[in-house]
Amino acid sequence: MIRLIFRDLTLGLRAGGGFGLGLAFFLIVTVLVPFAVGPETARLAPIAPGILWLAALLACLLSLDRIFALDREDGALDLLATAPIPLEGLSLAKAVAHWITTGLPLSLAAPALGVLLSLDWPGHLWLGLSLLLGTPALSLIGTFGAALTVGLRRGGLLMSLLVLPLYIPTLVFGADVARRGAAGLDPATPLALLAAVSLGCLAGLPFAAAAALRISLR
Amino acid sequence: MSLWTYANPTRFMSTTRPLVPALGAIAAVFLVVGLVWGFFFTPDDYRQGATVKIIYLHVPSALMAINAWLMMLVASLIWLVRRHHVSALAARAAAPVGVTMTLIALVTGAVWGQPMWGTWWAWDPRLTSFLILFLFYLGYMALWEAIEDPDTAADLTSVLCLVGSVFAVLSRYAVNFWNQGLHQGASLSLDAEENVADVFYYPLLVSIAGFAALFVALVLLRTRTEIRARRLHALRLRERMADA
């Protein structure tokens, strides 16, 4: 499993597009926001946590279809399915690799981008923390979505329709942590709920993703 | 003689043939009685005026919208466990009916909300979770349409339905939490069922019964159509095989 993770990481790094593209998309969305709503601090600061969460979510979504689709194209997925590792483990490894290539850099970059949107000081910390806790759930849900649509030729758009409603609880809790943190309120409750969502996804979704993969590869 | 005998498509078809018009007739009678009684023979509410009467459409359709998803969940489980094709087709048949009910509930709610709350839409937890339910329906139906092989489609949509149900419930409570966090003590959820007087209550019950019968009739009708479509498909394939 660890080897699988490293394989995906090297592929993501060397084949281009893994690390860089998601981050660049995140940056661009953040830069576009002031053009859309106006550059005043008073306007940007309250919406900054929500905007950054939304941008991170979209950046995550953007890289989902390469989780299984590339391996499917060159036949690697069929080999992996017959490998001694169970499909549940494969899904988990894929999700972890996806998280390391998108979720982790996004959470680390988000506080810096918060500066651009004139987020106040404690807000950076909570934004980074909430993304760090919440993006694993995004990756796991995304892996499930990718497994559902792997057999389809034009799965990309359909996958966003399937995956985005599933993202709602994570987004609600995650953005709430960041918002409360930025406003100086106690974010403990949504933080705990966000962690609960992530852990629940970690416990259950690899099985669902493996079930979907098994059906798709039949 | 158990419930599973109806899993045989032929058996299902012969049993449901008389059921569809019968249920349709029952639905028509109940709907006409309930709606006419509700619209014309109940007094106006002293605060809401005549707009209160939208309850006879709004509440039953909302009820059926949720029940349709529950039915899809049960049907998906039966398909995944016992591989009865009728079950998968029934789940498929229920989705468009459910999405229509959701839409009716949303639209009638908006029509009622405009004069009462002064707005067509508010990000109230109930409204929002219904909108989310609507999105789940859309995703489910889109997945059915996108996959060519019928068994794969049935399997994948069933898995989606199971996972989606968990997340739909989760969203329901997340949205509750989110709205309280935003503007606490939302005064918008005027929970209609709790303070309904008997004058409004009885026609409402009749109307709910009508909607339920309508839902069952529509789902049976659509399931029958799906079974026929599947048979037609099989016949065409056989013909093509014979030609080749």
Side-chain angles (χ1 to χ4, degrees), chain B residues 94-118:
Chain B
V97 185
V99 82
T100 316
M101 292 292 179
T102 316
L103 206 58
I104 293 176
L106 282 173
V107 170
T108 51
V111 169
W112 179 86
Q114 214 291 322
M116 285 301 114
W117 296 343

Side-chain angles (χ1 to χ4, degrees), chain A residues 141 144 148 152-153 158 161-162 165-166 168-169 172-173 176 179-180 189-190 193 197 201 205 208 212 215-216 218, chain B residues 83 132 135-136 138-140 142-143 146-148 151-152 155-156 159-160 163-164 167 170-171 174 177-178 181-182:
Chain A
I141 298 169
F144 170 65
L148 270 184
L152 301 173
R153 254 161 281 136
L158 177 66
L161 184 62
L162 296 181
L166 300 180
I168 291 171
V172 167
F173 294 133
D176 209 47
R179 197 164 43 224
R180 286 193 192 193
T189 315
L193 286 169
V197 170
C201 289
L205 277 178
I215 298 161
S216 299
R218 200 164 50 196
Chain B
R83 321 288 303 171
I132 295 170
L135 294 177
F136 274 103
L138 286 189
Y140 178 85
L143 191 62
I147 305 169
E148 278 159 32
D151 277 6
T152 312
D155 278 336
L156 286 179
V159 173
L160 176 69
V163 175
F167 275 86
L170 201 58
S171 306
F177 174 85
W178 156 77
L182 205 65

Side-chain angles (χ1 to χ4, degrees), chain B:
Chain B
M1 180 73 181
S2 78
L3 186 65
W4 303 114
T5 44
Y6 298 103
N8 179 343
T10 320
R11 191 65 183 270
F12 177 85
M13 291 298 266
S14 62
T15 319
T16 52
R17 187 178 301 124
L19 270 182
V20 172
L23 277 168
I26 293 175
V29 170
F30 273 79
L31 277 179
V32 167
V33 169
L35 291 182
V36 169
W37 184 4
F39 285 159
F40 300 111
F41 298 102
T42 57
D44 288 355
D45 186 79
Y46 79 100
R47 260 189 313 160
Q48 301 178 28
T51 52
V52 71
K53 292 177 175 177
I54 217 158
I55 194 179
Y56 305 114
L57 287 174
H58 183 71
V59 173
S61 60
L63 215 59
M64 286 305 121
I66 296 171
N67 284 350
W69 187 275
L70 278 180
M71 191 224 115
M72 278 159 52
L73 175 64
V74 173
S76 301
L77 266 175
I78 294 176
W79 161 251
L80 282 180
V81 175
R82 302 200 52 153
R83 321 288 303 171
H84 292 314
H85 285 268
V86 174
S87 178
L89 291 178
R92 179 179 196 177
V97 185
V99 82
T100 316
M101 292 292 179
T102 316
L103 206 58
I104 293 176
L106 282 173
V107 170
T108 51
V111 169
W112 179 86
Q114 214 291 322
M116 285 301 114
W117 296 343
T119 173
W120 296 100
W121 181 260
W123 290 98
D124 171 82
R126 265 167 199 256
L127 276 66
T128 314
S129 40
F130 248 72
L131 196 60
I132 295 170
L133 183 66
F134 184 66
L135 294 177
F136 274 103
Y137 271 123
L138 286 189
Y140 178 85
M141 292 194 309
L143 191 62
W144 259 113
E145 294 304 318
I147 305 169
E148 278 159 32
D149 181 56
D151 277 6
T152 312
D155 278 336
L156 286 179
T157 48
S158 298
V159 173
L160 176 69
C161 186
L162 298 192
V163 175
S165 304
V166 175
F167 275 86
V169 173
L170 201 58
S171 306
R172 173 76 180 90
Y173 290 100
V175 157
N176 249 343
F177 174 85
W178 156 77
N179 198 15
Q180 282 170 5
L182 205 65
H183 38 90
Q184 54 224 49
S187 54
L188 290 187
S189 51
L190 275 172
D191 203 334
E193 278 152 320
E194 283 170 10
N195 42 23
V196 145
D198 277 358
V199 211
F200 303 119
Y201 192 56
Y202 294 120
L204 181 60
L205 281 188
V206 175
S207 164
I208 287 176
F211 263 86
L214 178 69
F215 171 73
V216 177
L218 283 177
V219 170
L220 285 183
L221 186 67
R222 291 188 58 89
T223 312
R224 288 169 60 82
T225 316
E226 295 282 350
I227 291 175
R228 289 222 174 92
R230 187 70 69 87
R231 281 182 180 165
L232 192 64
H233 184 66
L235 280 180
R236 277 213 185 117
L237 280 184
R238 202 176 300 162
E239 220 166 59
R240 206 178 299 156
M241 293 290 279
D243 285 347

Side-chain angles (χ1 to χ4, degrees), chain A residues 5-216:
Chain A
I5 297 174
F6 275 114
R7 168 185 172 273
D8 270 24
L9 286 185
T10 14
L11 272 178
L13 271 179
R14 297 203 184 134
F19 272 115
L21 221 60
L23 265 182
F25 178 80
F26 192 39
L27 175 67
I28 286 175
V29 170
T30 313
V31 169
L32 287 183
V33 169
F35 296 131
V37 302
E40 299 88 1
T41 307
R43 191 175 296 171
L44 281 179
I47 60 167
I51 292 286
L52 285 169
W53 249 94
L54 199 57
L57 191 143
L58 291 177
C60 220
L61 185 74
L62 211 65
S63 49
L64 284 182
D65 52 350
R66 57 177 58 231
I67 293 184
F68 290 121
L70 291 181
D71 282 349
R72 166 90 175 182
E73 270 167 29
D74 60 13
L77 193 58
D78 296 312
L79 284 179
L80 287 171
T82 52
I85 182 171
L87 277 176
E88 283 81 2
L90 171 69
S91 319
L92 188 59
K94 286 282 185 186
V96 171
H98 179 261
W99 181 70
I100 293 176
T101 47
T102 51
L104 190 60
L106 283 180
S107 332
L108 296 179
L113 293 183
V115 176
L116 285 180
L117 294 183
S118 47
L119 195 65
D120 288 332
W121 152 239
H124 299 111
L125 186 68
W126 291 114
L127 178 69
L129 191 63
S130 66
L131 278 172
L132 211 55
L133 266 178
T135 42
L138 299 187
S139 288
L140 285 158
I141 298 169
T143 310
F144 170 65
L148 270 184
T149 52
V150 68
L152 301 173
R153 254 161 281 136
R154 296 176 303 276
L157 204 61
L158 177 66
M159 187 170 58
S160 41
L161 184 62
L162 296 181
V163 164
L164 282 179
L166 300 180
Y167 275 173
I168 291 171
T170 323
L171 177 65
V172 167
F173 294 133
D176 209 47
V177 171
R179 197 164 43 224
R180 286 193 192 193
L185 299 169
D186 179 25
T189 315
L191 199 63
L193 286 169
L194 180 67
V197 170
S198 277
L199 288 175
C201 289
L202 185 64
L205 277 178
F207 294 95
L213 266 185
R214 228 167 255 134
I215 298 161
S216 299

